[in-house]
Amino acid sequence: AQSVAQPEDQVNVAEGNPLTVKCTYSVSGNPYLFWYVQYPNRGLQFLLKYITGDNLVKGSYGFEAEFNKSQTSFHLKKPSALVSDSALYFCAVRAPQAGATNKLIFGTGTLLAVQP
Amino acid sequence: NAGVTQTPKFQVLKTGQSMTLQCAQDMNHEYMSWYRQDPGMGLRLIHYSVGAGITDQGEVPNGYNVSRSTTEDFPLRLLSAAPSQTSVYFCASANQGAKNIQYFGAGTRLSVL
């Protein structure tokens, strides 16, 4: 069955340091993978996606993610964290039997806290 | 552009009451969906629609009804609210297709006493 795991409930990083938010997945077939961000009291916003092609995907706000098929991972990264990056981050994968629909399965979320 | 608009932003209900959460989008998206967000559980799909007149169940549909009479609107109905339905509800829309991104509303925070 399709699933996605975010092993860390919270990630703490100092401003200016690199950050990584982890995501692993389990899918049959080609994975469609997404990262979304949720700022306090707001809806989710799209950051980036992997459908096919280059394993390094670049997205909004300087974020990037690396698709690793052998490790079934899709970790979110940024070279230099900002306090304004503090938010809740969700990894998502296309749902099983989604077919042509947009159905996604979301991870449980990782809270990123960037300290000044 | 308004995007995806949800109303109300906050609601308190008593057990057994009914209500409708409204969702409207102005992007002519075929796909619309409702999620609930609970601590430690991420977002779970309640119902979704791939076009006007077409709806289907998601992961946690019990206790919720939906309809899609127009492309723009996708209301979520709670017929008899229960405390277990206390949650934050998000509506999302997208162009049809698994590769397309979803656009989310700002959410409705619901408390059932």
Side-chain angles (χ1 to χ4, degrees):
Chain A
Q2 245 90 326
S3 66
V4 60
Q6 294 181 244
E8 301 156 316
D9 291 335
Q10 183 163 338
V11 170
N12 298 307
V13 64
E15 187 174 32
N17 284 359
L19 69 88
T20 298
V21 181
K22 295 180 180 178
C23 173
T24 59
Y25 65 90
S26 174
V27 302
S28 55
N30 295 325
Y32 292 176
L33 296 157
F34 301 79
W35 275 102
Y36 285 82
V37 59
Q38 184 182 29
Y39 297 101
N41 300 313
R42 301 283 295 277
L44 277 68
Q45 298 177 31
F46 170 76
L47 272 182
L48 51 80
K49 65 179 178 180
Y50 173 84
I51 304 299
T52 187
D54 195 347
N55 290 342
L56 185 63
V57 179
K58 294 189 182 296
S60 305
Y61 313 121
F63 284 93
E64 58 188 26
E66 186 171 8
F67 171 68
N68 187 317
K69 187 173 183 178
S70 63
Q71 297 186 2
T72 61
S73 66
F74 189 56
H75 300 333
L76 182 70
K77 300 181 179 182
K78 188 174 182 181
S80 179
L82 300 173
V83 172
S84 58
D85 293 330
S86 298
L88 188 58
Y89 291 80
F90 289 97
C91 183
V93 66
R94 179 176 58 169
Q97 287 89 46
T101 75
N102 305 71
K103 289 174 63 178
L104 294 175
I105 294 176
F106 284 85
T108 52
T110 298
L111 182 64
L112 174 66
V114 182
Q115 284 87 37
Chain B
N1 285 335
V4 179
T5 303
Q6 290 184 237
T7 56
K9 294 188 184 304
F10 303 94
Q11 184 70 48
V12 179
L13 292 177
K14 294 181 180 179
T15 297
Q17 286 186 316
S18 62
M19 80 158 296
T20 299
L21 280 62
Q22 301 292 344
C23 176
Q25 53 92 8
D26 61 0
M27 297 173 282
N28 202 32
H29 286 163
E30 305 97 331
Y31 181 86
M32 296 187 73
S33 57
W34 278 101
Y35 296 89
R36 59 178 290 173
Q37 182 180 24
D38 301 293
M41 303 190 75
L43 274 75
R44 292 181 292 171
L45 183 64
I46 304 171
H47 285 284
Y48 68 98
S49 169
V50 298
I54 306 170
T55 64
D56 206 345
Q57 296 181 351
E59 181 185 359
V60 288
N62 292 340
Y64 307 96
N65 284 346
V66 293
S67 60
R68 184 95 180 267
S69 57
T70 67
T71 299
E72 294 78 18
D73 300 299
F74 191 44
L76 178 71
R77 298 183 184 86
L78 284 70
L79 298 180
S80 179
S84 61
Q85 294 178 305
T86 294
S87 186
V88 181
Y89 292 85
F90 289 100
C91 178
S93 73
N95 284 315
Q96 187 67 279
K99 303 177 182 180
N100 293 317
I101 66 175
Q102 297 191 26
Y103 295 83
F104 285 79
T108 295
R109 187 174 296 274
L110 176 68
S111 293
V112 183
L113 306 178

PDB file of all heavy atoms in Angstrom, chain B residues 43-63:
ATOM      1  N   LEU B  43      -2.925  15.218   7.360  1.00  0.00           N
ATOM      2  CA  LEU B  43      -4.188  15.490   6.682  1.00  0.00           C
ATOM      3  C   LEU B  43      -4.784  14.190   6.177  1.00  0.00           C
ATOM      4  O   LEU B  43      -4.092  13.386   5.557  1.00  0.00           O
ATOM      5  CB  LEU B  43      -3.971  16.423   5.482  1.00  0.00           C
ATOM      6  CG  LEU B  43      -3.973  17.910   5.782  1.00  0.00           C
ATOM      7  CD1 LEU B  43      -2.684  18.314   6.442  1.00  0.00           C
ATOM      8  CD2 LEU B  43      -4.186  18.705   4.507  1.00  0.00           C
ATOM      9  N   ARG B  44      -6.058  14.009   6.419  1.00  0.00           N
ATOM     10  CA  ARG B  44      -6.753  12.814   5.951  1.00  0.00           C
ATOM     11  C   ARG B  44      -7.910  13.228   5.040  1.00  0.00           C
ATOM     12  O   ARG B  44      -8.673  14.132   5.371  1.00  0.00           O
ATOM     13  CB  ARG B  44      -7.263  11.999   7.134  1.00  0.00           C
ATOM     14  CG  ARG B  44      -6.143  11.371   7.965  1.00  0.00           C
ATOM     15  CD  ARG B  44      -6.698  10.555   9.115  1.00  0.00           C
ATOM     16  NE  ARG B  44      -7.343  11.394  10.117  1.00  0.00           N
ATOM     17  CZ  ARG B  44      -8.057  10.926  11.119  1.00  0.00           C
ATOM     18  NH1 ARG B  44      -8.275   9.623  11.245  1.00  0.00           N
ATOM     19  NH2 ARG B  44      -8.592  11.768  11.993  1.00  0.00           N
ATOM     20  N   LEU B  45      -8.015  12.531   3.933  1.00  0.00           N
ATOM     21  CA  LEU B  45      -9.004  12.864   2.913  1.00  0.00           C
ATOM     22  C   LEU B  45     -10.387  12.389   3.336  1.00  0.00           C
ATOM     23  O   LEU B  45     -10.582  11.218   3.673  1.00  0.00           O
ATOM     24  CB  LEU B  45      -8.595  12.220   1.586  1.00  0.00           C
ATOM     25  CG  LEU B  45      -9.465  12.503   0.379  1.00  0.00           C
ATOM     26  CD1 LEU B  45      -9.438  13.991   0.015  1.00  0.00           C
ATOM     27  CD2 LEU B  45      -9.012  11.662  -0.801  1.00  0.00           C
ATOM     28  N   ILE B  46     -11.368  13.289   3.287  1.00  0.00           N
ATOM     29  CA  ILE B  46     -12.731  12.950   3.677  1.00  0.00           C
ATOM     30  C   ILE B  46     -13.557  12.551   2.449  1.00  0.00           C
ATOM     31  O   ILE B  46     -14.092  11.455   2.357  1.00  0.00           O
ATOM     32  CB  ILE B  46     -13.405  14.137   4.396  1.00  0.00           C
ATOM     33  CG1 ILE B  46     -12.587  14.579   5.605  1.00  0.00           C
ATOM     34  CG2 ILE B  46     -14.826  13.752   4.842  1.00  0.00           C
ATOM     35  CD1 ILE B  46     -13.083  15.879   6.238  1.00  0.00           C
ATOM     36  N   HIS B  47     -13.699  13.484   1.527  1.00  0.00           N
ATOM     37  CA  HIS B  47     -14.411  13.262   0.267  1.00  0.00           C
ATOM     38  C   HIS B  47     -13.704  14.055  -0.821  1.00  0.00           C
ATOM     39  O   HIS B  47     -13.009  15.025  -0.531  1.00  0.00           O
ATOM     40  CB  HIS B  47     -15.863  13.749   0.340  1.00  0.00           C
ATOM     41  CG  HIS B  47     -16.782  12.874   1.123  1.00  0.00           C
ATOM     42  ND1 HIS B  47     -17.273  11.684   0.634  1.00  0.00           N
ATOM     43  CD2 HIS B  47     -17.319  13.037   2.360  1.00  0.00           C
ATOM     44  CE1 HIS B  47     -18.083  11.144   1.546  1.00  0.00           C
ATOM     45  NE2 HIS B  47     -18.121  11.945   2.594  1.00  0.00           N
ATOM     46  N   TYR B  48     -13.936  13.640  -2.050  1.00  0.00           N
ATOM     47  CA  TYR B  48     -13.379  14.395  -3.159  1.00  0.00           C
ATOM     48  C   TYR B  48     -14.331  14.349  -4.352  1.00  0.00           C
ATOM     49  O   TYR B  48     -15.274  13.550  -4.387  1.00  0.00           O
ATOM     50  CB  TYR B  48     -11.993  13.880  -3.552  1.00  0.00           C
ATOM     51  CG  TYR B  48     -11.971  12.498  -4.162  1.00  0.00           C
ATOM     52  CD1 TYR B  48     -11.926  12.322  -5.545  1.00  0.00           C
ATOM     53  CD2 TYR B  48     -11.957  11.371  -3.342  1.00  0.00           C
ATOM     54  CE1 TYR B  48     -11.890  11.058  -6.094  1.00  0.00           C
ATOM     55  CE2 TYR B  48     -11.921  10.095  -3.888  1.00  0.00           C
ATOM     56  CZ  TYR B  48     -11.885   9.942  -5.258  1.00  0.00           C
ATOM     57  OH  TYR B  48     -11.850   8.682  -5.807  1.00  0.00           O
ATOM     58  N   SER B  49     -14.059  15.215  -5.315  1.00  0.00           N
ATOM     59  CA  SER B  49     -14.898  15.321  -6.506  1.00  0.00           C
ATOM     60  C   SER B  49     -14.014  15.611  -7.711  1.00  0.00           C
ATOM     61  O   SER B  49     -13.112  16.442  -7.627  1.00  0.00           O
ATOM     62  CB  SER B  49     -15.923  16.446  -6.335  1.00  0.00           C
ATOM     63  OG  SER B  49     -16.568  16.722  -7.553  1.00  0.00           O
ATOM     64  N   VAL B  50     -14.294  14.928  -8.809  1.00  0.00           N
ATOM     65  CA  VAL B  50     -13.519  15.155 -10.037  1.00  0.00           C
ATOM     66  C   VAL B  50     -14.293  16.002 -11.047  1.00  0.00           C
ATOM     67  O   VAL B  50     -13.817  16.205 -12.158  1.00  0.00           O
ATOM     68  CB  VAL B  50     -13.067  13.830 -10.677  1.00  0.00           C
ATOM     69  CG1 VAL B  50     -12.144  13.070  -9.721  1.00  0.00           C
ATOM     70  CG2 VAL B  50     -14.252  12.981 -11.080  1.00  0.00           C
ATOM     71  N   GLY B  51     -15.444  16.479 -10.655  1.00  0.00           N
ATOM     72  CA  GLY B  51     -16.205  17.359 -11.522  1.00  0.00           C
ATOM     73  C   GLY B  51     -17.625  17.510 -11.003  1.00  0.00           C
ATOM     74  O   GLY B  51     -18.057  16.773 -10.103  1.00  0.00           O
ATOM     75  N   ALA B  52     -18.356  18.456 -11.564  1.00  0.00           N
ATOM     76  CA  ALA B  52     -19.734  18.690 -11.142  1.00  0.00           C
ATOM     77  C   ALA B  52     -20.554  17.411 -11.288  1.00  0.00           C
ATOM     78  O   ALA B  52     -20.487  16.739 -12.316  1.00  0.00           O
ATOM     79  CB  ALA B  52     -20.343  19.818 -11.961  1.00  0.00           C
ATOM     80  N   GLY B  53     -21.289  17.081 -10.243  1.00  0.00           N
ATOM     81  CA  GLY B  53     -22.129  15.903 -10.236  1.00  0.00           C
ATOM     82  C   GLY B  53     -21.440  14.606  -9.870  1.00  0.00           C
ATOM     83  O   GLY B  53     -22.078  13.549  -9.791  1.00  0.00           O
ATOM     84  N   ILE B  54     -20.129  14.669  -9.602  1.00  0.00           N
ATOM     85  CA  ILE B  54     -19.345  13.458  -9.307  1.00  0.00           C
ATOM     86  C   ILE B  54     -18.628  13.630  -7.977  1.00  0.00           C
ATOM     87  O   ILE B  54     -17.825  14.558  -7.813  1.00  0.00           O
ATOM     88  CB  ILE B  54     -18.297  13.195 -10.399  1.00  0.00           C
ATOM     89  CG1 ILE B  54     -18.946  13.136 -11.775  1.00  0.00           C
ATOM     90  CG2 ILE B  54     -17.541  11.894 -10.098  1.00  0.00           C
ATOM     91  CD1 ILE B  54     -17.953  13.117 -12.911  1.00  0.00           C
ATOM     92  N   THR B  55     -18.930  12.748  -7.027  1.00  0.00           N
ATOM     93  CA  THR B  55     -18.232  12.769  -5.745  1.00  0.00           C
ATOM     94  C   THR B  55     -17.849  11.345  -5.364  1.00  0.00           C
ATOM     95  O   THR B  55     -18.450  10.379  -5.843  1.00  0.00           O
ATOM     96  CB  THR B  55     -19.087  13.385  -4.621  1.00  0.00           C
ATOM     97  OG1 THR B  55     -20.237  12.566  -4.404  1.00  0.00           O
ATOM     98  CG2 THR B  55     -19.522  14.798  -4.969  1.00  0.00           C
ATOM     99  N   ASP B  56     -16.874  11.223  -4.465  1.00  0.00           N
ATOM    100  CA  ASP B  56     -16.450   9.905  -4.008  1.00  0.00           C
ATOM    101  C   ASP B  56     -15.863  10.040  -2.616  1.00  0.00           C
ATOM    102  O   ASP B  56     -15.493  11.140  -2.177  1.00  0.00           O
ATOM    103  CB  ASP B  56     -15.428   9.300  -4.964  1.00  0.00           C
ATOM    104  CG  ASP B  56     -15.428   7.776  -4.922  1.00  0.00           C
ATOM    105  OD1 ASP B  56     -16.010   7.193  -3.969  1.00  0.00           O
ATOM    106  OD2 ASP B  56     -14.841   7.169  -5.824  1.00  0.00           O
ATOM    107  N   GLN B  57     -15.786   8.902  -1.939  1.00  0.00           N
ATOM    108  CA  GLN B  57     -15.306   8.881  -0.562  1.00  0.00           C
ATOM    109  C   GLN B  57     -13.794   8.823  -0.512  1.00  0.00           C
ATOM    110  O   GLN B  57     -13.145   8.211  -1.347  1.00  0.00           O
ATOM    111  CB  GLN B  57     -15.890   7.668   0.172  1.00  0.00           C
ATOM    112  CG  GLN B  57     -17.393   7.698   0.301  1.00  0.00           C
ATOM    113  CD  GLN B  57     -17.925   6.488   1.058  1.00  0.00           C
ATOM    114  OE1 GLN B  57     -17.194   5.548   1.335  1.00  0.00           O
ATOM    115  NE2 GLN B  57     -19.202   6.524   1.391  1.00  0.00           N
ATOM    116  N   GLY B  58     -13.267   9.457   0.526  1.00  0.00           N
ATOM    117  CA  GLY B  58     -11.851   9.366   0.795  1.00  0.00           C
ATOM    118  C   GLY B  58     -11.568   8.374   1.908  1.00  0.00           C
ATOM    119  O   GLY B  58     -12.268   7.377   2.065  1.00  0.00           O
ATOM    120  N   GLU B  59     -10.592   8.702   2.715  1.00  0.00           N
ATOM    121  CA  GLU B  59     -10.119   7.806   3.773  1.00  0.00           C
ATOM    122  C   GLU B  59     -11.048   7.776   4.990  1.00  0.00           C
ATOM    123  O   GLU B  59     -11.227   6.731   5.630  1.00  0.00           O
ATOM    124  CB  GLU B  59      -8.719   8.264   4.195  1.00  0.00           C
ATOM    125  CG  GLU B  59      -8.065   7.444   5.270  1.00  0.00           C
ATOM    126  CD  GLU B  59      -6.734   8.065   5.691  1.00  0.00           C
ATOM    127  OE1 GLU B  59      -6.339   9.112   5.110  1.00  0.00           O
ATOM    128  OE2 GLU B  59      -6.088   7.522   6.591  1.00  0.00           O
ATOM    129  N   VAL B  60     -11.665   8.933   5.321  1.00  0.00           N
ATOM    130  CA  VAL B  60     -12.475   9.036   6.540  1.00  0.00           C
ATOM    131  C   VAL B  60     -13.815   9.705   6.249  1.00  0.00           C
ATOM    132  O   VAL B  60     -14.108  10.794   6.737  1.00  0.00           O
ATOM    133  CB  VAL B  60     -11.715   9.791   7.658  1.00  0.00           C
ATOM    134  CG1 VAL B  60     -10.600   8.954   8.226  1.00  0.00           C
ATOM    135  CG2 VAL B  60     -11.165  11.126   7.136  1.00  0.00           C
ATOM    136  N   PRO B  61     -14.701   9.063   5.480  1.00  0.00           N
ATOM    137  CA  PRO B  61     -15.938   9.715   5.046  1.00  0.00           C
ATOM    138  C   PRO B  61     -17.101   9.670   6.030  1.00  0.00           C
ATOM    139  O   PRO B  61     -18.067  10.436   5.874  1.00  0.00           O
ATOM    140  CB  PRO B  61     -16.301   8.914   3.796  1.00  0.00           C
ATOM    141  CG  PRO B  61     -15.803   7.531   4.099  1.00  0.00           C
ATOM    142  CD  PRO B  61     -14.529   7.736   4.888  1.00  0.00           C
ATOM    143  N   ASN B  62     -17.024   8.807   7.032  1.00  0.00           N
ATOM    144  CA  ASN B  62     -18.186   8.591   7.897  1.00  0.00           C
ATOM    145  C   ASN B  62     -18.548   9.849   8.677  1.00  0.00           C
ATOM    146  O   ASN B  62     -17.704  10.472   9.307  1.00  0.00           O
ATOM    147  CB  ASN B  62     -17.917   7.441   8.868  1.00  0.00           C
ATOM    148  CG  ASN B  62     -17.815   6.110   8.149  1.00  0.00           C
ATOM    149  OD1 ASN B  62     -18.284   5.970   7.024  1.00  0.00           O
ATOM    150  ND2 ASN B  62     -17.187   5.138   8.784  1.00  0.00           N
ATOM    151  N   GLY B  63     -19.849  10.186   8.626  1.00  0.00           N
ATOM    152  CA  GLY B  63     -20.334  11.358   9.338  1.00  0.00           C
ATOM    153  C   GLY B  63     -20.358  12.610   8.502  1.00  0.00           C
ATOM    154  O   GLY B  63     -20.781  13.670   8.990  1.00  0.00           O
TER     155      GLY B  63
END
